[in-house]
Amino acid sequence: MAGFFIKKVIFIFGCLIFTKAVRHQRNLIWSMSPSLQIGVSRIVGIEGDPEVWVPNANVTVRHISAPHAGWQFRGLAFQYATQTLYWSEKNNKRVQALVLNGSTSTRSVYTGTSKEVDGLVVDWVSNNLYLADPNYNWILLVPLNTTETLYKLITRSGLDKPHGLAVYPKKGYLFWSDWGEVPKIEMSDLLGKNRRILISTDVHHPRGLAVDYDQNILYWVDSFKDTVESVEFNGNSRRILIVQPGTNFFGIALFKKFLFVTEQEEGHLRIFDKYSGKGYINYQLGYIPFGVIMYDEETQEIHNGCRDLGCEQICIDNPPAGPQCYCADGYQLKDDQKSCEVSQFFTEPSHIYAIRDAICQYPAHIGDMSLVNITLDKQCFLKTSKGFLALTFDGEKQTLYYTENNTNSIGRVQLRRGAYTDTIIRGVGEVKGLALDWTTDNLYWTDSTKRKIMVAKVDGRFQKALINSDLQEPLGIAVHPKRGRIYWTDPGRSVIETSLMTGDGRQSLDMKTAMYAICKYDLTTGTDEILYRQQFSSFYGVSVYQDFLIWTDSGDMNGIHVADMLTLTKKRGILHPQVGKAGDVILYDKLNQPKFNGSCAVNNGGCDQLCLSSFCSCGVGFELSDDLKTCYSDMYSDNFVLVADAYQKQIFQVGIYENRISAVSLSEHFRPIALDYDPIRQKIYWTDNEAKTLKQANIDGGSEVTMRALTTNSVLDGVAVDYLNNLLYYTDAGLDTITVVSLSKIMVYKTIITEDLAEPRDIVVHPSLGRMFWSDWGKKSKIEAADMDGNNRMILVNFTTTAWPNGIAMDYYDNRIYWIDARNDKIESIDIDGKDRRLILLEDKTHYFGLSLSGPYLYFTDWTKNYISRIRDNSTDETTIAITSFPVNTSNSVKFLNSKQGNSNLQVGGIVAIAIVCGTVTIIAIVASVMLYRRWRFQFIPHDRLVEDNHVGSFYRIAFPDNSNKFEPQVDIGIENPYYNRMVENNS
């Protein structure tokens, strides 16, 4: 029904004399601000019982004025028992509290809201405040029983523009209005769970809410329909009480039979009868009013359940369960179910971005958060200076994937404090883009060096090149599992392209490009638009959270930046021009990875290895069978190299004369490390330092047997087969021993050397001479020899300077030992008596590791290359086995660690056995990768002062340790325990 008014229009500021500030007693209180920014914002209260002052319009008005025009009061809430009034303040983006006892000292309850928080309400039973933020589209709970800045994000899905809030603690109900694209009014319990939609039809812009606790009715205003409406808690008996076209209703409060409504079109406070809709009084305020509340004791009945429970952070008295303790975001309950401790897992949603020297994290509201006491040291983790660039994540497994372009690898780490990093892929070029298909556990990446787009399982297995032609500089990559497509940018060709997840159906997106701009392309309509421009920016990573655009700039504006997509204005830039070059940025939020039933959802789509949308595919070394599901391997019988790839968890055959790789079919996929081959019995032997086993199998993978189950401390880096005596020797860098095992009776073994070993690495045997040779890259590096029973030890090479002797090989014709010095980037040789030492090869900026010899050729691996190289053993005329021309990436199999020759003087198939040990020895992996990188950088990274981003009024400065001195390379330096000044927001 249409409301009508008694003809009383009162100019509330025109005829009354204000007394002092709002007092602690029954008050109708509202916030308002001047329309022309002339004057200051105010919180105004009418004292007394509305049943008295509404009929006679004789009111006593008190107010709280903002200290200056920079403040603007918006939403209001109160807690009568503590005499406290709460408000949201627009320009300083915070919620504040004031005790109504004559004090003028305010307290910030929560800082970092957007500027449009109008929904505030206090659960006076549990002593918590709820706030709805329409820009971040979430509802937060803030405990009021602490002076710490704590919050718990209780609802953030299915929200668009949450506005009004109301609470009914006795029944455990929380209500909110949402005037976004799908307007509605919802309710839930006090934890944001058990959600239920009350109103979803004939509603447009629902704003303020009020609860009638006596009659179980919810009231709201609709600013688009110009109505005041009501509904019962069960969704029944909906009524339209007031319709007043041309108004703009905003806030609503209730006291007994009176409804108090703020109206913004003409700046009115209007009072209606809740039963009839009859209007009583219209107060013309002269300001624009916002929230309105009835500050009254009768509506806030006190219970003591939470106070008696003794929760450290948050108590929620949620009927019917009753009071229970909870922890704020970033914390977890201890076993006593009352106390809280810092959570081991990272908070989400949050922004994670790479700055080459580290990976950093900021909260989701980075555009509005306070920067006081925020430092780069606090925000960053993985501060190991490994060239972090591209990022992606798995929300369900809480895992981050990243690229280390200084070590040419892709790694992962669970986003948990104290978690260890895990390198899953080695030998990549410069990877600038990563993307995860979370429905299939497939990882995609762009390799701008090799001009490829690759895919593999998330553990590095089954690597496959999807696209390796017509690419110039592939950079960013994204996946859309539901559409079954991947998308990538190629700045070298100035295009954005897409294909099926198999790489087929490739096409360019028809979109306009713009310099110095961030653009959006609608996949449904095929239309594009420019979202944000900034002259001379070097945009790199881009991400979106709710109404905000987040990007990194790797140029003069080096840092992370935020803009409001609704207003197309920049909110903030956090710059660090000389502190780590900004790379990729992602939104860490599992809600961005929704689950759906795709063709790969059940049993990997029936695929043996890779399920790429609705198609099966196979990784390197395998072919797809005629059933289009299973994978098989076409094995070599002659002229091949055996390669153990710990990252693809596979043993491969690499053809010496053919451009093809075949995989050895194994029953388990852990991490094969050291490898050797018995050409007489045609068996392979390998170690697995993850499964802690020593194994054997036929060359085709059949008859697989575990020879020895090793101790947890064992690290087997080298194995060698004595084919004449049917024995196998292995080094153990964990126990510092050399052991021999009988191949005819595998339960029979003997440890033959236990002393004077530091880090025994590779080993070869010379059965006809009864001698064995090994490298030791410990503190006193050396090459040693001994009889095959461990007696008559002899040091062949005693390195006088720092060296890393790794792979070794035996020339059985000339009786010479060859070895690799990974520290000094060279290959040398010496005769088996320790004489006639020769330099074979020396190159700058390499990292040789594995070595093998066959006929006149030395084969070796190099961490900085993606192939196996070979040279004649008496020359430096280097050629390569053309692995890089294969249509798949075999980076791990050729990139890392150990390779060795198996008896090249035999004419049994001419087989060369190469074992590549891929970084399972933690010390080897850390020292080698970090030292290689740091030798290229002769001092600490120059850390200059941060500068101001002139596009926004926010910047901070960080001071770093003195960098004037050069340091010797160490394992644990980089961004190491830097001391920082506080980051302070400049609001001038």
Side-chain angles (χ1 to χ4, degrees):
M1 69 179 70
F4 60 92
F5 273 89
I6 300 173
K7 294 184 179 179
K8 291 183 180 179
V9 179
I10 300 177
F11 293 87
I12 198 165
F13 296 128
C15 59
L16 297 175
I17 299 175
F18 283 100
T19 59
K20 295 181 180 180
V22 177
R23 298 184 297 187
H24 173 63
Q25 63 179 63
R26 182 174 292 160
N27 280 274
L28 177 70
I29 302 176
W30 68 92
S31 62
M32 59 186 191
S33 296
S35 58
L36 299 177
Q37 301 299 316
I38 300 175
V40 296
S41 183
R42 289 177 171 178
I43 294 175
V44 181
I46 298 178
E47 282 190 351
D49 189 338
E51 292 186 310
V52 176
W53 59 259
V54 169
N56 61 30
N58 183 17
V59 297
T60 300
V61 179
R62 295 174 176 267
H63 73 274
I64 300 169
S65 293
H68 53 75
W71 282 37
Q72 183 176 332
F73 301 118
R74 296 281 299 230
L76 296 174
F78 74 98
Q79 188 172 17
Y80 199 91
T82 60
Q83 307 181 29
T84 306
L85 179 67
Y86 301 91
W87 63 79
S88 59
E89 200 275 296
K90 175 180 178 180
N91 293 326
N92 290 301
K93 298 175 285 189
R94 59 191 173 185
V95 176
Q96 292 186 286
L98 176 67
V99 178
L100 299 182
N101 59 1
S103 172
T104 58
S105 177
T106 62
R107 176 174 68 91
S108 290
V109 175
Y110 179 82
T111 301
T113 69
S114 70
K115 291 187 175 184
E116 299 179 11
V117 172
D118 293 292
L120 286 183
V121 70
V122 169
D123 174 357
W124 60 91
V125 173
S126 300
N127 202 21
N128 299 316
L129 179 139
Y130 294 87
L131 67 92
D133 196 314
N135 284 4
Y136 293 104
N137 296 328
W138 61 34
I139 297 174
L140 296 180
L141 179 152
V142 180
L144 299 176
N145 61 344
T146 178
T147 58
E148 294 184 71
T149 303
L150 302 173
Y151 68 89
K152 185 174 183 64
L153 205 164
I154 64 164
T155 302
R156 63 186 182 91
S157 63
L159 299 179
D160 194 358
K161 288 290 180 183
H163 182 95
L165 286 176
V167 66
Y168 195 167
K170 186 176 181 180
K171 292 183 177 294
Y173 295 158
L174 177 68
F175 305 88
W176 64 86
S177 61
D178 188 326
W179 62 279
E181 187 173 339
V182 182
K184 56 187 176 294
I185 296 175
E186 287 190 79
M187 64 184 296
S188 72
D189 62 23
L190 300 178
L191 270 170
K193 302 183 183 301
N194 301 308
R195 289 170 63 171
R196 179 162 58 90
I197 295 177
L198 278 179
I199 300 294
S200 61
T201 60
D202 191 26
V203 59
H204 295 275
H205 287 178
R207 298 286 192 162
L209 303 177
V211 173
D212 188 329
Y213 302 108
D214 295 326
Q215 299 188 10
N216 293 331
I217 291 177
L218 179 72
Y219 293 85
W220 75 92
V221 296
D222 191 315
S223 62
F224 180 86
K225 295 170 60 182
D226 300 326
T227 59
V228 178
E229 303 183 52
S230 70
V231 70
E232 294 178 354
F233 293 166
N234 58 11
N236 297 330
S237 303
R238 179 175 176 178
R239 298 173 59 211
I240 298 178
L241 298 168
I242 298 113
V243 179
Q244 289 193 347
T247 59
N248 185 8
F249 292 141
F250 197 83
I252 185 171
L254 173 71
F255 180 77
K256 294 186 178 178
K257 69 175 182 178
F258 299 109
L259 289 171
F260 306 94
V261 179
T262 57
E263 189 278 323
Q264 294 188 331
E265 183 67 25
E266 297 179 357
H268 289 173
L269 172 67
R270 304 192 178 205
I271 305 175
F272 302 94
D273 187 285
K274 75 175 184 180
Y275 300 109
S276 65
K278 180 185 71 174
Y280 290 107
I281 302 175
N282 175 15
Y283 288 108
Q284 188 167 338
L285 305 176
Y287 279 47
I288 298 175
F290 290 90
V292 59
I293 58 173
M294 189 66 208
Y295 185 90
D296 178 60
E297 182 178 14
E298 292 182 9
T299 59
Q300 295 191 346
E301 182 181 352
I302 300 300
H303 301 278
N304 296 324
C306 274
R307 185 183 65 185
D308 297 338
L309 191 57
C311 301
E312 180 182 355
Q313 290 188 352
I314 298 172
C315 178
I316 299 179
D317 192 346
N318 201 12
Q324 293 183 16
C325 297
Y326 299 89
C327 296
D329 285 2
Y331 296 85
Q332 61 190 18
L333 272 176
K334 293 182 179 180
D335 292 339
D336 64 5
Q337 299 299 304
K338 294 183 179 181
S339 306
C340 297
E341 61 186 0
V342 175
S343 174
Q344 294 302 303
F345 289 93
F346 283 35
T347 301
E348 60 171 307
S350 62
H351 304 289
I352 298 178
Y353 82 112
I355 61 169
R356 300 314 201 273
D357 297 329
I359 299 176
C360 310
Q361 180 192 38
Y362 281 94
H365 64 304
I366 181 176
D368 293 298
M369 65 178 286
S370 170
L371 294 182
V372 176
N373 295 324
I374 299 297
T375 68
L376 202 62
D377 189 36
K378 293 179 181 178
Q379 302 306 125
C380 295
F381 58 101
L382 293 188
K383 293 173 279 191
T384 53
S385 301
K386 291 186 177 180
F388 302 108
L389 184 58
L391 304 171
T392 191
F393 76 99
D394 186 331
E396 188 68 27
K397 297 181 177 66
Q398 297 176 288
T399 298
L400 177 72
Y401 295 85
Y402 54 86
T403 62
E404 294 181 3
N405 283 330
N406 292 336
T407 60
N408 302 104
S409 64
I410 298 174
R412 64 182 175 183
V413 64
Q414 190 174 36
L415 291 172
R416 173 177 53 84
R417 288 170 177 80
Y420 290 101
T421 59
D422 177 24
T423 300
I424 57 173
I425 296 171
R426 287 279 194 182
V428 296
E430 187 175 17
V431 175
K432 297 181 178 180
L434 275 179
L436 176 74
D437 179 355
W438 61 94
T439 67
T440 60
D441 283 341
N442 293 333
L443 185 68
Y444 296 79
W445 68 94
T446 60
D447 192 320
S448 60
T449 304
K450 300 168 187 175
R451 300 180 182 179
K452 293 181 180 181
I453 295 177
M454 302 289 299
V455 65
K457 300 301 288 184
V458 292
D459 59 2
R461 289 184 298 145
F462 310 135
Q463 294 179 33
K464 179 181 180 63
L466 293 177
I467 298 175
N468 56 11
S469 63
D470 297 326
L471 293 173
Q472 187 67 33
E473 189 186 349
L475 197 148
I477 188 169
V479 300
H480 197 312
K482 197 166 187 178
R483 288 177 174 265
R485 301 194 72 86
I486 58 174
Y487 303 84
W488 68 91
T489 61
D490 191 339
R493 297 165 51 237
S494 299
V495 295
I496 298 177
E497 293 186 275
T498 180
S499 76
L500 297 174
M501 288 185 165
T502 59
D504 300 317
R506 182 176 174 181
Q507 62 188 64
S508 297
L509 297 182
D510 183 18
M511 63 180 298
K512 298 181 286 291
T513 58
M515 292 287 289
Y516 311 122
I518 299 176
C519 306
K520 180 179 77 170
Y521 182 86
D522 192 311
L523 297 176
T524 302
T525 64
T527 58
D528 61 298
E529 62 178 297
I530 295 175
L531 292 179
Y532 184 79
R533 284 183 182 270
Q534 185 166 306
Q535 285 294 319
F536 308 114
S537 290
S538 297
F539 295 113
Y540 194 88
V542 64
S543 179
V544 173
Y545 182 65
Q546 302 293 0
D547 299 330
F548 299 101
L549 187 67
I550 301 94
W551 71 92
T552 57
D553 190 312
S554 59
D556 293 339
M557 306 290 286
N558 185 43
I560 187 168
H561 305 259
V562 186
D564 189 322
M565 288 194 294
L566 298 179
T567 62
L568 301 181
T569 57
K570 187 169 181 180
K571 291 179 66 68
R572 167 172 284 166
I574 300 178
L575 309 183
H576 42 86
Q578 301 299 325
V579 187
K581 190 175 181 181
D584 203 3
V585 60
I586 60 172
L587 174 69
Y588 173 52
D589 184 0
K590 67 166 61 77
L591 295 184
N592 269 14
Q593 296 180 341
K595 296 181 179 180
F596 59 89
N597 293 323
S599 57
C600 297
V602 179
N603 193 29
N604 197 38
C607 300
D608 205 7
Q609 295 185 1
L610 296 171
C611 185
L612 305 177
S613 187
S614 57
F615 302 95
C616 297
S617 189
C618 304
V620 59
F622 293 92
E623 299 291 335
L624 190 63
S625 299
D626 292 339
D627 62 5
L628 302 181
K629 296 287 185 180
T630 58
C631 299
Y632 72 95
S633 181
D634 185 11
M635 303 295 294
Y636 283 97
S637 60
D638 201 353
N639 299 319
F640 60 87
V641 176
L642 277 177
V643 179
D645 189 327
Y647 293 98
Q648 297 200 60
K649 307 181 189 308
Q650 191 66 56
I651 296 175
F652 295 102
Q653 293 178 325
V654 181
I656 295 178
Y657 305 119
E658 294 183 47
N659 195 2
R660 183 169 62 84
I661 296 176
S662 296
V664 178
S665 297
L666 302 177
S667 61
E668 294 179 307
H669 295 278
F670 290 102
R671 286 199 168 183
I673 306 299
L675 175 71
D676 205 358
Y677 178 61
D678 183 346
I680 302 296
R681 298 164 186 83
Q682 295 191 343
K683 287 186 178 292
I684 54 175
Y685 302 88
W686 71 95
T687 67
D688 192 319
N689 285 336
E690 182 177 303
K692 297 296 181 182
T693 56
L694 174 63
K695 307 193 78 171
Q696 71 174 21
N698 295 336
I699 188 60
D700 60 0
S703 302
E704 185 174 332
V705 175
T706 297
M707 298 174 60
R708 289 208 64 197
L710 307 173
T711 68
T712 56
N713 294 326
S714 291
V715 180
L716 272 58
D717 282 350
V719 294
V721 175
D722 175 0
Y723 57 89
L724 293 181
N725 300 301
N726 206 19
L727 300 173
L728 182 138
Y729 293 78
Y730 64 83
T731 62
D732 191 328
L735 302 179
D736 296 331
T737 59
I738 296 177
T739 301
V740 60
V741 181
S742 170
L743 294 180
S744 58
K745 298 180 180 180
I746 59 176
M747 299 302 295
V748 178
Y749 67 92
K750 182 179 180 180
T751 300
I752 55 177
I753 297 181
T754 60
E755 297 179 349
D756 297 326
L757 293 176
E759 297 291 344
R761 238 305 271 132
D762 203 3
I763 186 170
V764 294
V765 294
H766 199 316
S768 60
L769 297 180
R771 298 286 281 176
M772 61 181 181
F773 306 83
W774 68 92
S775 59
D776 188 326
W777 65 278
K779 188 174 182 180
K780 296 180 180 180
S781 304
K782 54 193 173 184
I783 306 289
E784 283 194 85
D787 291 342
M788 295 178 74
D789 61 0
N791 294 320
N792 298 319
R793 288 176 67 173
M794 173 185 179
I795 296 177
L796 298 182
V797 181
N798 200 350
F799 296 95
T800 57
T801 59
T802 302
W804 292 346
N806 286 320
I808 61 174
M810 169 66 69
D811 183 338
Y812 297 95
Y813 292 110
D814 295 332
N815 288 330
R816 296 190 66 83
I817 289 290
Y818 292 80
W819 74 89
I820 277 177
D821 184 343
R823 175 66 177 82
N824 299 297
D825 301 331
K826 60 185 178 181
I827 300 174
E828 296 183 86
S829 77
I830 200 168
D831 66 29
I832 60 174
D833 295 322
K835 300 175 181 178
D836 191 20
R837 182 173 176 178
R838 302 174 188 172
L839 176 64
I840 304 300
L841 183 64
L842 174 65
E843 287 186 290
D844 292 332
K845 296 182 179 179
T846 62
H847 195 90
Y848 301 135
F849 211 92
L851 185 66
S852 183
L853 187 144
S854 178
Y857 290 105
L858 279 172
Y859 295 83
F860 56 93
T861 60
D862 182 346
W863 284 21
T864 66
K865 298 175 183 177
N866 191 43
Y867 42 79
I868 300 172
S869 301
R870 77 178 182 187
I871 59 171
R872 285 190 173 272
D873 59 5
N874 58 358
S875 76
T876 57
D877 180 20
E878 179 182 347
T879 59
T880 65
I881 297 177
I883 292 180
T884 51
S885 66
F886 292 169
V888 292
N889 179 15
T890 61
S891 58
N892 293 327
S893 59
V894 299
K895 202 69 177 180
F896 302 95
L897 285 96
N898 175 38
S899 68
K900 66 174 296 183
Q901 164 65 28
N903 310 313
S904 65
N905 58 330
L906 297 176
Q907 299 303 313
V908 183
I911 296 172
V912 179
I914 296 182
I916 298 183
V917 181
C918 303
T920 58
V921 184
T922 304
I923 297 176
I924 293 176
I926 295 175
V927 172
S929 59
V930 175
M931 293 290 286
L932 173 65
Y933 171 50
R934 294 223 167 89
R935 292 210 326 272
W936 295 344
R937 302 178 70 178
F938 296 102
Q939 59 185 18
F940 275 127
I941 303 161
H943 298 304
D944 295 339
R945 230 182 188 189
L946 301 183
V947 299
E948 182 172 3
D949 175 358
N950 294 319
H951 292 267
V952 291
S954 308
F955 72 99
Y956 61 86
R957 298 181 176 87
I958 303 177
F960 284 81
D962 176 71
N963 64 351
S964 59
N965 298 320
K966 294 184 179 180
F967 295 87
E968 288 296 320
Q970 298 177 26
V971 171
D972 57 352
I973 60 176
I975 302 183
E976 176 190 332
N977 300 323
Y979 50 90
Y980 305 95
N981 294 332
R982 294 189 307 171
M983 274 192 293
V984 181
E985 180 122 33
N986 181 0
N987 294 311
S988 59

